[in-house]
Coordinates of all heavy atoms in Angstrom, one line a residue:
M95 N 143.6 19.9 79.9 CA 142.2 20.2 80.3 C 141.5 18.8 80.2 O 141.6 18.1 79.3 CB 141.6 21.2 79.3 CG 140.2 21.5 79.7 SD 139.7 22.9 78.6 CE 138.0 23.1 79.1
K96 N 140.8 18.5 81.3 CA 140.0 17.3 81.4 C 138.8 17.3 80.5 O 138.1 18.3 80.4 CB 139.6 17.1 82.9 CG 138.9 15.7 83.1 CD 138.5 15.6 84.5 CE 137.6 14.4 84.6 NZ 136.6 14.4 85.7
K97 N 138.6 16.2 79.8 CA 137.5 16.1 78.9 C 136.2 15.9 79.7 O 136.2 15.1 80.6 CB 137.7 14.9 77.9 CG 136.6 14.8 76.9 CD 137.0 13.7 75.9 CE 135.9 13.7 74.8 NZ 136.1 12.6 73.8
M98 N 135.2 16.7 79.4 CA 133.9 16.6 80.1 C 133.0 15.5 79.6 O 133.0 15.3 78.3 CB 133.2 18.0 80.0 CG 133.9 19.1 80.7 SD 133.0 20.6 80.6 CE 131.6 20.3 81.7
S99 N 132.3 14.8 80.4 CA 131.3 13.9 80.0 C 130.0 14.6 79.5 O 129.8 15.8 79.8 CB 130.9 12.9 81.1 OG 130.2 13.6 82.1
I100 N 129.2 13.9 78.8 CA 127.9 14.5 78.3 C 127.1 14.9 79.5 O 126.5 16.0 79.5 CB 127.1 13.4 77.5 CG1 127.9 13.0 76.2 CG2 125.8 14.0 77.1 CD1 128.0 14.1 75.2
D101 N 127.0 14.1 80.5 CA 126.3 14.4 81.7 C 126.8 15.7 82.4 O 126.0 16.6 82.8 CB 126.3 13.3 82.8 CG 125.3 12.2 82.3 OD1 124.5 12.4 81.4 OD2 125.5 11.1 82.9
D102 N 128.1 15.8 82.4 CA 128.7 17.0 83.0 C 128.3 18.3 82.2 O 128.0 19.3 82.7 CB 130.2 16.9 83.1 CG 130.7 15.9 84.1 OD1 129.9 15.6 85.0 OD2 131.8 15.5 84.1
K103 N 128.4 18.1 80.9 CA 128.1 19.3 80.0 C 126.6 19.6 80.1 O 126.2 20.8 80.2 CB 128.4 18.9 78.5 CG 129.8 18.8 78.2 CD 130.0 18.4 76.8 CE 131.5 18.3 76.4 NZ 131.8 17.9 75.1
L104 N 125.7 18.6 80.1 CA 124.3 18.9 80.3 C 124.0 19.6 81.6 O 123.1 20.4 81.7 CB 123.5 17.6 80.1 CG 123.4 17.1 78.7 CD1 122.7 15.7 78.7 CD2 122.8 18.0 77.7
G105 N 124.8 19.2 82.6 CA 124.5 19.7 83.9 C 124.8 21.2 84.0 O 124.4 21.9 84.9
L106 N 125.5 21.8 83.0 CA 125.8 23.2 83.0 C 124.7 24.0 82.3 O 124.7 25.3 82.4 CB 127.1 23.5 82.3 CG 128.4 22.9 83.0 CD1 129.6 23.1 82.0 CD2 128.6 23.6 84.3
D107 N 123.8 23.3 81.6 CA 122.8 24.1 80.9 C 121.8 24.8 81.8 O 121.6 24.4 83.0 CB 121.9 23.1 80.0 CG 122.8 22.5 78.9 OD1 123.8 23.1 78.5 OD2 122.4 21.4 78.4
L108 N 121.3 25.9 81.3 CA 120.3 26.6 82.1 C 118.9 26.4 81.6 O 118.8 26.4 80.4 CB 120.6 28.1 82.1 CG 121.9 28.6 82.7 CD1 122.1 30.1 82.5 CD2 121.9 28.3 84.2
F109 N 118.0 26.3 82.5 CA 116.6 26.1 82.0 C 115.7 27.2 82.6 O 115.7 27.4 83.8 CB 116.0 24.7 82.5 CG 116.7 23.6 81.8 CD1 117.8 23.0 82.4 CD2 116.2 23.1 80.6 CE1 118.5 21.9 81.7 CE2 116.8 22.0 80.0 CZ 117.9 21.4 80.6
H110 N 115.0 27.9 81.7 CA 114.0 28.8 82.2 C 112.7 28.2 81.6 O 112.3 28.5 80.5 CB 114.3 30.2 81.6 CG 115.6 30.8 82.0 ND1 115.8 31.3 83.3 CD2 116.8 30.8 81.4 CE1 117.0 31.7 83.4 NE2 117.7 31.4 82.3
T111 N 112.1 27.4 82.4 CA 111.0 26.6 81.9 C 109.6 27.2 82.1 O 109.4 27.8 83.2 CB 111.0 25.2 82.6 OG1 112.3 24.6 82.4 CG2 110.0 24.3 81.9
D112 N 108.8 27.2 81.1 CA 107.4 27.6 81.3 C 106.7 26.5 82.0 O 106.3 25.5 81.4 CB 106.8 27.9 79.9 CG 105.4 28.4 80.0 OD1 104.8 28.3 81.1 OD2 104.9 28.9 79.0
E113 N 106.5 26.6 83.3 CA 105.8 25.5 84.0 C 104.4 25.4 83.8 O 103.7 24.4 84.1 CB 106.2 25.7 85.5 CG 107.6 25.8 85.7 CD 108.1 25.2 87.1 OE1 107.3 24.7 87.8 OE2 109.3 25.4 87.4
E114 N 103.8 26.5 83.2 CA 102.3 26.5 83.0 C 102.0 25.7 81.7 O 100.9 25.1 81.6 CB 101.8 27.9 82.9 CG 102.1 28.7 84.1 CD 101.3 28.3 85.3 OE1 100.1 27.9 85.1 OE2 101.9 28.2 86.4
E115 N 102.8 25.9 80.7 CA 102.4 25.4 79.3 C 103.6 24.6 78.7 O 104.7 25.1 78.6 CB 102.0 26.6 78.5 CG 101.5 26.2 77.1 CD 101.1 27.4 76.3 OE1 100.9 28.5 76.9 OE2 101.2 27.3 75.1
S116 N 103.3 23.4 78.2 CA 104.3 22.6 77.5 C 104.3 23.0 76.1 O 103.3 23.3 75.4 CB 103.9 21.1 77.6 OG 104.8 20.4 76.8
H117 N 105.5 23.1 75.5 CA 105.7 23.4 74.1 C 105.5 22.2 73.2 O 105.6 22.2 72.0 CB 107.0 24.1 73.8 CG 108.2 23.3 74.2 ND1 108.6 23.1 75.5 CD2 109.1 22.6 73.5 CE1 109.7 22.3 75.5 NE2 110.0 22.0 74.3
I118 N 105.3 21.0 73.9 CA 105.1 19.8 73.1 C 103.8 19.1 73.7 O 103.6 19.0 74.9 CB 106.3 18.8 73.4 CG1 107.6 19.4 73.0 CG2 106.1 17.5 72.6 CD1 108.9 18.6 73.3
Q119 N 103.0 18.8 72.7 CA 101.7 18.1 73.1 C 101.8 16.7 72.7 O 102.1 16.3 71.6 CB 100.5 18.8 72.4 CG 100.4 20.3 72.7 CD 100.2 20.6 74.1 OE1 99.5 19.9 74.9 NE2 101.0 21.6 74.6
V120 N 101.5 15.8 73.7 CA 101.7 14.4 73.5 C 100.4 13.6 73.7 O 99.6 14.0 74.6 CB 102.8 13.9 74.5 CG1 103.0 12.4 74.5 CG2 104.1 14.6 74.3
D121 N 100.2 12.6 72.9 CA 99.0 11.7 73.1 C 99.4 10.7 74.2 O 100.0 9.7 73.9 CB 98.7 11.0 71.8 CG 97.5 10.0 72.0 OD1 96.9 10.0 73.1 OD2 97.3 9.3 71.0
L122 N 99.0 11.0 75.4 CA 99.3 10.1 76.5 C 98.5 8.8 76.5 O 98.8 7.9 77.3 CB 99.2 10.8 77.8 CG 100.1 12.0 78.0 CD1 99.9 12.7 79.3 CD2 101.6 11.6 77.9
G123 N 97.5 8.8 75.7 CA 96.7 7.6 75.6 C 97.2 6.5 74.6 O 96.6 5.5 74.5
C124 N 98.3 6.8 74.0 CA 98.9 5.9 73.0 C 99.3 4.6 73.7 O 99.9 4.6 74.8 CB 100.1 6.6 72.3 SG 100.9 5.5 71.1
T125 N 99.0 3.5 73.0 CA 99.3 2.2 73.6 C 100.2 1.4 72.6 O 100.5 0.2 72.9 CB 98.1 1.4 73.9 OG1 97.3 1.2 72.7 CG2 97.2 2.0 75.0
D126 N 100.7 2.0 71.6 CA 101.6 1.4 70.6 C 103.0 1.4 71.2 O 103.7 2.3 71.1 CB 101.5 2.2 69.3 CG 102.3 1.5 68.2 OD1 103.3 0.7 68.5 OD2 102.0 1.7 67.0
E127 N 103.3 0.2 71.8 CA 104.6 0.1 72.5 C 105.8 0.3 71.6 O 106.9 0.8 72.0 CB 104.7 -1.2 73.3 CG 103.7 -1.2 74.4 CD 103.9 -2.3 75.4 OE1 104.9 -3.1 75.2 OE2 103.2 -2.4 76.4
A128 N 105.7 -0.1 70.3 CA 106.8 0.1 69.4 C 107.1 1.6 69.2 O 108.3 2.0 69.2 CB 106.6 -0.6 68.1
E129 N 106.1 2.4 69.1 CA 106.2 3.8 68.9 C 106.7 4.5 70.2 O 107.5 5.4 70.2 CB 104.9 4.4 68.5 CG 104.4 4.1 67.1 CD 105.5 4.5 66.0 OE1 106.0 5.6 66.1 OE2 105.7 3.7 65.1
I130 N 106.2 4.0 71.3 CA 106.6 4.6 72.6 C 108.1 4.3 72.8 O 108.8 5.1 73.3 CB 105.7 4.0 73.7 CG1 104.3 4.5 73.6 CG2 106.3 4.3 75.1 CD1 103.3 3.8 74.5
K131 N 108.5 3.1 72.5 CA 109.9 2.7 72.7 C 110.8 3.6 72.0 O 111.9 3.9 72.5 CB 110.1 1.2 72.3 CG 111.4 0.7 72.7 CD 111.5 -0.8 72.5 CE 112.9 -1.3 72.9 NZ 113.1 -2.8 72.6
K132 N 110.5 4.0 70.8 CA 111.3 4.9 70.0 C 111.6 6.2 70.8 O 112.7 6.6 70.8 CB 110.6 5.3 68.7 CG 110.6 4.3 67.6 CD 109.9 4.9 66.4 CE 109.4 3.9 65.4 NZ 108.7 4.6 64.3
L133 N 110.6 6.7 71.4 CA 110.7 8.0 72.1 C 111.5 7.8 73.4 O 112.4 8.6 73.8 CB 109.4 8.6 72.4 CG 108.5 8.9 71.2 CD1 107.2 9.6 71.6 CD2 109.3 9.7 70.2
L134 N 111.3 6.7 74.1 CA 112.0 6.4 75.3 C 113.5 6.2 75.0 O 114.3 6.7 75.8 CB 111.5 5.0 75.9 CG 110.1 5.0 76.4 CD1 109.7 3.6 76.9 CD2 109.9 6.0 77.6
L135 N 113.8 5.6 73.9 CA 115.3 5.4 73.6 C 115.9 6.6 73.0 O 117.1 6.9 73.2 CB 115.4 4.2 72.6 CG 115.0 2.9 73.1 CD1 115.1 1.8 72.0 CD2 116.0 2.4 74.2
A136 N 115.2 7.5 72.4 CA 115.8 8.6 71.6 C 115.9 9.9 72.4 O 116.8 10.7 72.2 CB 115.0 8.8 70.4
C137 N 115.0 10.1 73.3 CA 115.0 11.4 74.0 C 116.2 11.5 75.0 O 116.3 10.7 75.9 CB 113.7 11.6 74.8 SG 113.7 13.1 75.8
P138 N 117.1 12.4 74.7 CA 118.3 12.5 75.5 C 118.0 13.1 76.9 O 118.9 12.9 77.8 CB 119.2 13.5 74.7 CG 118.2 14.3 73.9 CD 117.1 13.4 73.6
A139 N 116.9 13.7 77.1 CA 116.6 14.3 78.4 C 115.6 13.4 79.2 O 115.3 13.7 80.3 CB 115.9 15.6 78.2
E140 N 115.3 12.2 78.7 CA 114.4 11.3 79.3 C 113.1 11.9 79.8 O 112.6 11.7 80.9 CB 115.1 10.6 80.5 CG 116.3 9.8 80.1 CD 117.0 9.1 81.3 OE1 116.7 9.4 82.4 OE2 117.9 8.2 81.0
C141 N 112.5 12.7 78.9 CA 111.3 13.4 79.2 C 110.1 12.4 79.1 O 109.0 12.7 79.7 CB 111.0 14.5 78.1 SG 112.2 15.9 78.3
Y142 N 110.3 11.3 78.4 CA 109.2 10.3 78.3 C 109.5 9.2 79.2 O 110.6 8.7 79.4 CB 109.2 9.7 76.8 CG 108.8 10.8 75.8 CD1 109.8 11.6 75.2 CD2 107.5 11.0 75.4 CE1 109.4 12.5 74.3 CE2 107.1 11.9 74.5 CZ 108.1 12.7 73.9 OH 107.8 13.7 73.0
K143 N 108.4 8.7 79.9 CA 108.5 7.6 80.8 C 107.3 6.6 80.4 O 106.2 7.1 80.0 CB 108.3 8.0 82.3 CG 109.2 9.1 82.7 CD 110.6 8.5 83.1 CE 111.4 9.6 83.7 NZ 112.8 9.5 83.4
Y144 N 107.6 5.4 80.6 CA 106.5 4.3 80.3 C 106.6 3.4 81.5 O 107.4 2.5 81.6 CB 106.8 3.7 79.0 CG 105.7 2.8 78.5 CD1 104.4 3.3 78.3 CD2 105.9 1.4 78.2 CE1 103.4 2.5 77.8 CE2 104.9 0.6 77.8 CZ 103.6 1.2 77.6 OH 102.6 0.4 77.1
I145 N 105.7 3.5 82.4 CA 105.7 2.8 83.6 C 104.3 2.1 83.8 O 103.3 2.8 83.8 CB 106.0 3.6 84.9 CG1 107.4 4.3 84.7 CG2 105.9 2.8 86.1 CD1 107.8 5.3 85.7
G146 N 104.3 0.8 84.0 CA 103.0 0.1 84.2 C 102.1 0.2 83.1 O 100.8 0.3 83.3
G147 N 102.6 0.3 81.9 CA 101.8 0.4 80.7 C 101.2 1.7 80.4 O 100.3 1.9 79.6
K148 N 101.7 2.7 81.1 CA 101.2 4.1 81.0 C 102.3 5.1 80.6 O 103.3 5.1 81.2 CB 100.5 4.6 82.3 CG 99.9 5.9 82.2 CD 98.7 6.0 83.1 CE 98.1 7.4 83.1 NZ 97.8 8.0 81.8
L149 N 102.0 5.8 79.5 CA 103.0 6.8 79.0 C 102.8 8.1 79.8 O 101.7 8.5 80.0 CB 102.8 7.0 77.5 CG 103.6 8.1 76.8 CD1 105.1 7.7 76.8 CD2 103.1 8.3 75.4
S150 N 103.9 8.7 80.2 CA 103.9 10.0 80.7 C 105.0 10.9 80.1 O 105.9 10.4 79.5 CB 104.0 10.0 82.3 OG 105.3 9.5 82.6
F151 N 104.8 12.2 80.2 CA 105.7 13.1 79.5 C 105.8 14.4 80.4 O 104.8 14.8 80.9 CB 105.2 13.5 78.1 CG 106.0 14.6 77.5 CD1 107.2 14.3 77.0 CD2 105.5 15.9 77.5 CE1 108.0 15.4 76.4 CE2 106.2 16.9 76.9 CZ 107.5 16.6 76.4
S152 N 107.0 14.9 80.5 CA 107.3 16.2 81.1 C 108.2 17.0 80.3 O 109.3 16.5 79.9 CB 107.9 16.0 82.5 OG 108.3 17.3 83.0
H153 N 107.8 18.2 80.0 CA 108.6 19.1 79.1 C 109.8 19.7 79.9 O 110.7 20.3 79.3 CB 107.8 20.2 78.4 CG 107.2 21.2 79.4 ND1 106.2 20.9 80.3 CD2 107.5 22.5 79.6 CE1 105.9 21.9 81.0 NE2 106.7 22.9 80.6
L154 N 109.7 19.6 81.2 CA 110.8 20.1 82.1 C 112.1 19.4 81.8 O 112.1 18.2 81.8 CB 110.4 20.0 83.6 CG 109.1 20.6 84.0 CD1 108.8 20.3 85.4 CD2 109.0 22.1 83.6
G155 N 113.1 20.1 81.4 CA 114.4 19.5 81.1 C 114.5 19.2 79.6 O 115.6 18.7 79.2
C156 N 113.5 19.5 78.8 CA 113.6 19.2 77.4 C 114.7 20.1 76.8 O 114.9 21.2 77.1 CB 112.3 19.6 76.7 SG 112.3 19.6 74.9
L157 N 115.5 19.4 75.9 CA 116.6 20.1 75.3 C 116.3 20.7 73.9 O 117.2 21.2 73.2 CB 117.8 19.1 75.1 CG 118.3 18.5 76.4 CD1 119.2 17.3 76.2 CD2 119.0 19.6 77.2
E158 N 115.0 20.6 73.5 CA 114.5 21.2 72.3 C 115.3 20.7 71.1 O 115.5 21.4 70.1 CB 114.6 22.7 72.4 CG 113.8 23.3 73.5 CD 114.1 24.8 73.8 OE1 114.4 25.5 72.8 OE2 114.1 25.2 74.9
C159 N 115.6 19.4 71.1 CA 116.4 18.9 70.0 C 115.4 18.5 68.8 O 115.9 18.4 67.7 CB 117.2 17.6 70.4 SG 116.1 16.2 70.9
G160 N 114.2 18.3 69.1 CA 113.2 17.9 68.0 C 113.2 16.5 67.6 O 112.5 16.1 66.7
T161 N 114.0 15.7 68.3 CA 114.1 14.2 67.9 C 112.7 13.5 68.0 O 112.3 12.8 67.1 CB 115.1 13.5 68.8 OG1 116.4 14.2 68.6 CG2 115.3 12.1 68.4
C162 N 112.0 13.8 69.1 CA 110.7 13.1 69.3 C 109.7 13.5 68.2 O 109.0 12.7 67.7 CB 110.2 13.4 70.6 SG 109.9 15.1 71.0
R163 N 109.8 14.7 67.8 CA 108.9 15.2 66.7 C 109.2 14.5 65.4 O 108.3 14.0 64.7 CB 109.0 16.7 66.5 CG 108.1 17.2 65.5 CD 108.3 18.7 65.2 NE 109.4 18.7 64.1 CZ 109.6 19.8 63.4 NH1 108.9 20.9 63.6 NH2 110.6 19.8 62.5
V164 N 110.4 14.3 65.1 CA 110.8 13.7 63.8 C 110.5 12.2 63.8 O 109.9 11.6 62.9 CB 112.3 13.9 63.5 CG1 112.8 13.0 62.4 CG2 112.6 15.3 63.3
L165 N 110.7 11.5 65.0 CA 110.5 10.1 65.1 C 109.0 9.8 65.1 O 108.6 8.7 64.7 CB 111.2 9.5 66.3 CG 112.7 9.4 66.3 CD1 113.2 8.9 67.6 CD2 113.1 8.5 65.2
S166 N 108.2 10.6 65.7 CA 106.8 10.3 66.0 C 106.0 10.4 64.7 O 104.9 9.7 64.6 CB 106.3 11.3 67.0 OG 104.9 11.1 67.2
H167 N 106.3 11.2 63.8 CA 105.5 11.4 62.6 C 104.1 11.8 63.0 O 103.1 11.3 62.3 CB 105.5 10.2 61.7 CG 106.9 9.9 61.1 ND1 107.4 10.7 60.1 CD2 107.8 9.0 61.4 CE1 108.6 10.2 59.8 NE2 108.9 9.2 60.5
G168 N 103.9 12.5 64.1 CA 102.5 12.9 64.5 C 101.7 11.8 65.2 O 100.6 12.0 65.5
R169 N 102.3 10.6 65.4 CA 101.5 9.6 66.0 C 101.4 9.8 67.5 O 100.3 9.5 68.1 CB 102.2 8.2 65.7 CG 102.0 7.8 64.3 CD 102.5 6.4 64.0 NE 104.0 6.4 63.9 CZ 104.7 6.4 62.8 NH1 104.0 6.4 61.6 NH2 106.0 6.4 62.8
I170 N 102.5 10.1 68.2 CA 102.4 10.4 69.7 C 102.6 11.9 69.9 O 101.9 12.5 70.7 CB 103.5 9.6 70.4 CG1 103.2 8.1 70.2 CG2 103.5 9.9 71.9 CD1 104.2 7.1 70.9
V171 N 103.6 12.5 69.3 CA 103.8 13.9 69.4 C 102.8 14.6 68.5 O 103.0 14.6 67.3 CB 105.3 14.3 69.1 CG1 105.5 15.8 69.2 CG2 106.2 13.6 70.0
K172 N 101.8 15.2 69.0 CA 100.8 15.9 68.2 C 101.1 17.3 67.8 O 100.6 17.8 66.8 CB 99.5 15.8 69.0 CG 98.9 14.4 69.3 CD 98.7 13.7 68.0 CE 98.1 12.3 68.1 NZ 98.0 11.6 66.9
E173 N 101.9 18.0 68.7 CA 102.3 19.3 68.4 C 103.7 19.6 69.0 O 103.9 19.2 70.1 CB 101.3 20.3 68.9 CG 101.6 21.8 68.5 CD 100.6 22.8 69.2 OE1 99.5 22.4 69.5 OE2 101.0 23.9 69.4
W174 N 104.5 20.2 68.2 CA 105.9 20.6 68.7 C 106.2 22.0 68.2 O 106.1 22.3 67.0 CB 106.9 19.6 68.2 CG 108.2 19.6 68.9 CD1 108.7 18.6 69.7 CD2 109.3 20.6 68.7 NE1 109.9 19.0 70.2 CE2 110.3 20.1 69.6 CE3 109.4 21.7 68.0 CZ2 111.5 20.9 69.7 CZ3 110.6 22.5 68.2 CH2 111.6 22.0 69.0
R175 N 106.6 22.8 69.1 CA 107.0 24.2 68.7 C 108.1 24.6 69.7 O 108.2 24.0 70.8 CB 105.9 25.2 68.7 CG 105.2 25.2 70.1 CD 104.0 26.2 70.0 NE 103.2 26.1 71.2 CZ 103.5 26.5 72.4 NH1 104.6 27.1 72.6 NH2 102.7 26.3 73.4
H176 N 108.9 25.6 69.4 CA 109.8 26.1 70.3 C 109.1 26.8 71.5 O 108.0 27.3 71.2 CB 110.8 27.0 69.7 CG 111.8 26.3 68.8 ND1 112.9 25.6 69.3 CD2 111.8 26.2 67.4 CE1 113.5 25.1 68.3 NE2 112.9 25.4 67.1
P177 N 109.7 26.8 72.7 CA 109.1 27.6 73.8 C 109.0 29.1 73.4 O 109.7 29.5 72.5 CB 110.0 27.3 74.9 CG 110.8 26.1 74.6 CD 110.9 26.1 73.1
Q178 N 108.2 29.8 74.1 CA 108.1 31.2 73.9 C 109.4 31.9 74.1 O 110.2 31.3 74.9 CB 107.0 31.8 74.8 CG 105.6 31.4 74.7 CD 104.7 32.0 75.7 OE1 104.8 33.2 75.9 NE2 103.9 31.2 76.3
S179 N 109.6 33.0 73.6 CA 110.8 33.8 73.8 C 111.1 34.0 75.3 O 110.2 34.3 76.0 CB 110.7 35.1 73.1 OG 111.9 35.9 73.3
G180 N 112.4 33.7 75.6 CA 112.7 34.0 77.0 C 112.7 32.7 77.9 O 113.1 32.7 79.0
V181 N 112.1 31.6 77.4 CA 112.0 30.4 78.2 C 112.7 29.3 77.3 O 112.8 29.4 76.1 CB 110.6 30.0 78.6 CG1 110.1 31.0 79.6 CG2 109.7 29.8 77.4
G182 N 113.0 28.2 78.0 CA 113.6 27.1 77.4 C 115.0 26.9 77.8 O 115.4 27.4 78.9
V183 N 115.8 26.1 77.1 CA 117.1 25.7 77.5 C 118.1 26.7 76.9 O 118.0 27.2 75.8 CB 117.5 24.3 77.0 CG1 117.5 24.2 75.5 CG2 118.8 23.8 77.6
T184 N 119.2 27.0 77.7 CA 120.3 27.7 77.3 C 121.6 26.8 77.4 O 121.9 26.4 78.5 CB 120.6 29.0 78.1 OG1 119.4 29.8 78.0 CG2 121.8 29.8 77.6
F185 N 122.1 26.5 76.2 CA 123.3 25.6 76.3 C 124.6 26.4 76.6 O 124.8 27.5 76.1 CB 123.5 24.9 74.9 CG 122.4 24.0 74.6 CD1 121.3 24.4 73.7 CD2 122.3 22.7 75.1 CE1 120.3 23.5 73.4 CE2 121.2 21.9 74.9 CZ 120.3 22.2 74.0
R186 N 125.4 25.8 77.4 CA 126.6 26.5 77.8 C 127.9 25.7 77.4 O 129.0 26.2 77.6 CB 126.6 26.8 79.3 CG 125.4 27.7 79.6 CD 125.6 28.5 80.9 NE 125.7 27.7 82.0 CZ 125.9 28.2 83.3 NH1 125.9 29.5 83.5 NH2 126.0 27.4 84.3
Q187 N 127.7 24.5 76.9 CA 128.9 23.7 76.5 C 128.6 23.0 75.2 O 128.5 21.7 75.2 CB 129.3 22.7 77.6 CG 130.1 23.3 78.7 CD 131.5 23.7 78.3 OE1 132.1 23.0 77.4 NE2 132.0 24.7 78.9
G188 N 128.3 23.7 74.2 CA 128.0 23.0 72.9 C 126.7 22.4 72.9 O 126.1 21.7 72.6
Ligands
SF4_735 S1 112.6 17.7 71.9 FE1 114.4 16.3 72.3 S2 114.7 16.6 74.5 FE2 112.7 17.5 74.1 S3 111.3 15.9 74.5 FE3 111.7 15.7 72.4 S4 113.4 14.3 72.2 FE4 113.3 14.9 74.3

């Protein structure tokens, strides 16, 4: 059996995303580049972008790993909770 890459495995996940409401609230006005860089490097779904000195965030594709919440210590990630029942990611390969 051929070993699957991480990208291949993630590509099998199902997303039922709440497009109206994000389960993560982010301070998009943050200018602390050291803190921003942590999230850019750590988020496996690349939900955080930093382009032209402006932070942006999209919860679409979030894997609900909680890494950003732990790293941020409330500095950029202001609120983190699991999505409502019935929405979010469904893992199909570990
Ligand atoms: S919970 Fe994980 S996947 Fe979702 S935004 Fe945070 S670091 Fe990215």
Side-chain angles (χ1 to χ4, degrees):
M95 183 173 177
K96 185 181 172 210
K97 188 173 180 182
M98 293 178 72
S99 70
I100 297 292
D101 285 344
D102 288 342
K103 289 178 181 176
L104 290 175
L106 295 174
D107 294 340
L108 294 177
F109 292 91
H110 300 282
T111 307
D112 184 346
E113 303 211 7
E114 303 291 320
E115 185 180 337
S116 174
H117 59 288
I118 303 173
Q119 302 304 317
V120 175
D121 176 7
L122 297 177
C124 178
T125 57
D126 185 333
E127 292 194 358
E129 291 299 318
I130 291 169
K131 189 174 181 184
K132 286 185 198 172
L133 302 183
L134 294 174
L135 291 173
C137 176
E140 298 182 347
C141 293
Y142 295 88
K143 304 278 186 220
Y144 190 58
I145 300 170
K148 182 151 178 47
L149 177 64
S150 63
F151 172 77
S152 171
H153 68 289
L154 306 178
C156 172
L157 297 169
E158 302 169 32
C159 65
T161 304
C162 57
R163 185 186 83 161
V164 172
L165 287 178
S166 173
H167 295 287
R169 288 185 283 264
I170 297 178
V171 177
K172 295 300 183 185
E173 183 184 337
W174 195 107
R175 58 181 167 74
H176 287 285
Q178 296 179 45
S179 177
V181 295
V183 65
T184 301
F185 295 102
R186 299 204 295 183
Q187 280 290 326

